[in-house]
Amino acid sequence: MTTASNAGEGRWLSSEEQRIWRSYRHATTLLEDSLDRRLQRDAGMPHIYYGLLVQLSEAPRRRLRMTELAKDAKITRSRLSHAIARLEKNGWVRREDCPSDRRGQNAYLTDEGYEVLKNAAPAHVTAVRQAIFDRLTPEQVRQLGEITRIMTEGLEPDGTGADLPWLR
């Protein structure tokens, strides 16, 4: 909304930008909800837990420092700790002391957790394909990759002092 009376209050979105912003918010909210509901139904876990299991499965020896896991997942350390506690309760993840830093801990993907992930992955990939990649042309996929890369660079600046979730 831009009017003469609020023009000095900031740089408002144009009508087109507002339409695109709302479309983006709508699409990302629906996508996250859809993926979350499917994973809850098919694998008994929310989307965030699936992402943590994927990260651990791709790490050397299926282990990651908790701080690294929070950074990769783009979540607060508190939220990660809660999620890992739930995954431990399921027997899918185990915490271990970090041998190189007595204050640190690693999260380890158990064999049971790996099997759960392996069973959930095909349906999840199908859901992602149906929601995004099967609907876009190869050029749109390339553009989406470029757009999200640029957005991420702006939201995750180099240097110190950035207010990022994993630093909280």
Side-chain angles (χ1 to χ4, degrees), residues 18-37:
Q18 186 68 256
R19 183 189 63 74
I20 292 167
W21 167 243
R22 289 180 181 171
S23 177
Y24 170 82
R25 290 276 320 264
H26 190 100
T28 56
T29 300
L30 288 173
L31 175 63
E32 191 62 34
D33 179 69
S34 174
L35 295 175
D36 199 58
R37 281 183 298 107

Side-chain angles (χ1 to χ4, degrees), residues 5-50:
S5 65
N6 67 18
E9 296 174 11
R11 189 169 159 234
W12 292 86
L13 299 178
S14 69
S15 296
E16 179 70 358
E17 289 168 333
Q18 186 68 256
R19 183 189 63 74
I20 292 167
W21 167 243
R22 289 180 181 171
S23 177
Y24 170 82
R25 290 276 320 264
H26 190 100
T28 56
T29 300
L30 288 173
L31 175 63
E32 191 62 34
D33 179 69
S34 174
L35 295 175
D36 199 58
R37 281 183 298 107
R38 285 182 184 208
L39 279 165
Q40 286 282 11
R41 180 192 68 215
D42 297 343
M45 75 177 97
H47 194 219
I48 186 75
Y49 292 9
Y50 178 86

Side-chain angles (χ1 to χ4, degrees), residues 60-97:
R61 298 176 35 238
R62 298 191 322 217
R63 286 170 173 77
L64 269 179
R65 294 255 336 224
M66 293 284 283
T67 52
E68 211 41 49
L69 192 54
K71 181 179 178 182
D72 291 348
K74 311 295 185 233
I75 59 175
T76 63
R77 290 176 284 191
S78 172
R79 186 171 182 199
L80 175 66
S81 185
H82 176 75
I84 293 296
R86 295 289 303 269
L87 292 168
E88 279 183 302
K89 187 177 177 183
N90 291 342
W92 300 346
V93 169
R94 194 173 63 232
R95 282 184 231 218
E96 304 173 332
D97 290 332

